[in-house]
Amino acid sequence: MENLIKDYIPEIAISKVLKLLEDDNLEVKIKNERKTRHGDYKRLPNGKHQITINSNLNVYRFLITLIHEIAHFEAYKIYGKFIKPHGIEWKRTFQHLMLPFLNPEVFPDHLLPLLAKHFKNPKASSDTDVDLALALKQFDKPNNKTYIFEVPIGSTFKLYNGKIFKMGQKRVKRFECIEVKTGKLYLFNPNAEVEILIPSSVGVL
């Protein structure tokens, strides 16, 4: 197991993570990038449990995602199979498992206040915590993507699935964008990554 995860998480965290994975009924697999998720957990028909994590995550996001999925497994063992996937039992388990890692030996100092705030009430996805998600993305490999909040109003952009949108106004937290093909209005979190197609100086839709 150590050989599987050692290149994906901070070195100082390896021993603690290995202790959490000491269960013959739990297996971890590293997957190619999946656009809709960072990782997942499921119970297999043979009674075992499987965690999968995307290989393209930076070491800090990989660690958070791995502990997130381990928390599903631990919550199942403690509370049974009828709990909500991201209910209070999972939240408490995730908080408990993550606490030993929330220190400057594992995470950079500027991430710790954001992590402390996030883990007061962890969500189903850390991507919904915009401040934390943006801070974590600073450690990703460079790419040609642009954050939604950086896209000029009136510009068109493309998502990973090929859909094309036109940038609109900001609401309280999210941005209004119109899908060019259908005219439907969608709301995007500011940390969504997109590919700008036609830069524009147009100020309104």
Side-chain angles (χ1 to χ4, degrees):
M1 183 66 73
E2 180 175 356
N3 288 334
L4 178 68
I5 66 171
K6 65 182 181 64
D7 294 328
Y8 293 101
I9 62 175
E11 184 177 358
I12 192 69
I14 292 175
S15 60
K16 288 187 177 71
V17 169
L18 289 176
K19 288 182 180 179
L20 295 178
L21 296 174
E22 289 178 346
D23 192 304
D24 292 338
N25 288 319
L26 179 64
E27 61 180 29
V28 177
K29 291 186 176 181
I30 311 298
K31 297 282 190 177
N32 292 331
E33 180 182 6
R34 293 164 292 181
K35 297 293 186 180
T36 59
R37 69 189 70 182
H38 297 308
D40 63 16
Y41 156 81
K42 63 182 178 182
R43 300 187 299 275
L44 301 176
N46 62 5
K48 292 184 179 294
H49 301 254
Q50 177 181 278
I51 287 172
T52 66
I53 311 289
N54 290 2
S55 62
N56 66 310
L57 305 181
N58 68 58
V59 294
Y60 305 116
R61 185 175 288 285
F62 193 101
L63 176 60
I64 294 169
T65 303
L66 179 57
I67 303 303
H68 173 127
E69 305 305 343
I70 293 174
H72 282 300
F73 173 61
E74 293 295 332
Y76 173 86
K77 289 199 301 181
I78 297 170
Y79 300 104
K81 64 181 179 180
F82 296 111
I83 60 174
K84 294 181 179 179
H86 296 101
I88 187 64
E89 299 87 357
W90 170 81
K91 289 177 183 285
R92 289 173 177 169
T93 306
F94 193 12
Q95 290 168 329
H96 174 72
L97 295 180
M98 198 67 204
L99 186 60
F101 298 98
L102 298 182
N103 63 73
E105 291 185 340
V106 178
F107 289 97
D109 287 342
H110 71 278
L111 286 183
L112 290 174
L114 298 173
L115 288 165
K117 180 181 178 182
H118 177 77
F119 279 98
K120 288 181 180 178
N121 184 27
K123 307 297 183 184
S125 171
S126 59
D127 281 346
T128 59
D129 185 333
V130 174
D131 292 336
L132 177 59
L134 290 176
L136 286 170
K137 282 184 178 181
Q138 297 173 14
F139 300 95
D140 289 346
K141 294 180 180 179
N143 57 41
N144 64 344
K145 299 293 193 246
T146 300
Y147 295 133
I148 275 284
F149 72 84
E150 298 174 313
V151 177
I153 292 176
S155 295
T156 54
F157 62 86
K158 183 170 65 174
L159 294 184
Y160 68 89
N161 58 11
K163 291 184 178 181
I164 297 174
F165 294 81
K166 189 173 184 179
M167 186 67 182
Q169 301 284 349
K170 181 181 180 182
R171 291 193 180 180
V172 177
K173 292 184 178 181
R174 296 187 290 176
F175 291 84
E176 296 180 350
C177 302
I178 301 292
E179 185 181 2
V180 173
K181 184 176 181 179
T182 64
K184 290 183 179 179
L185 175 67
Y186 290 82
L187 296 177
F188 285 80
N189 284 329
N191 60 318
E193 287 186 322
V194 301
E195 180 183 349
I196 294 181
L197 296 179
I198 306 174
S200 172
S201 59
V202 178
V204 295
L205 286 173

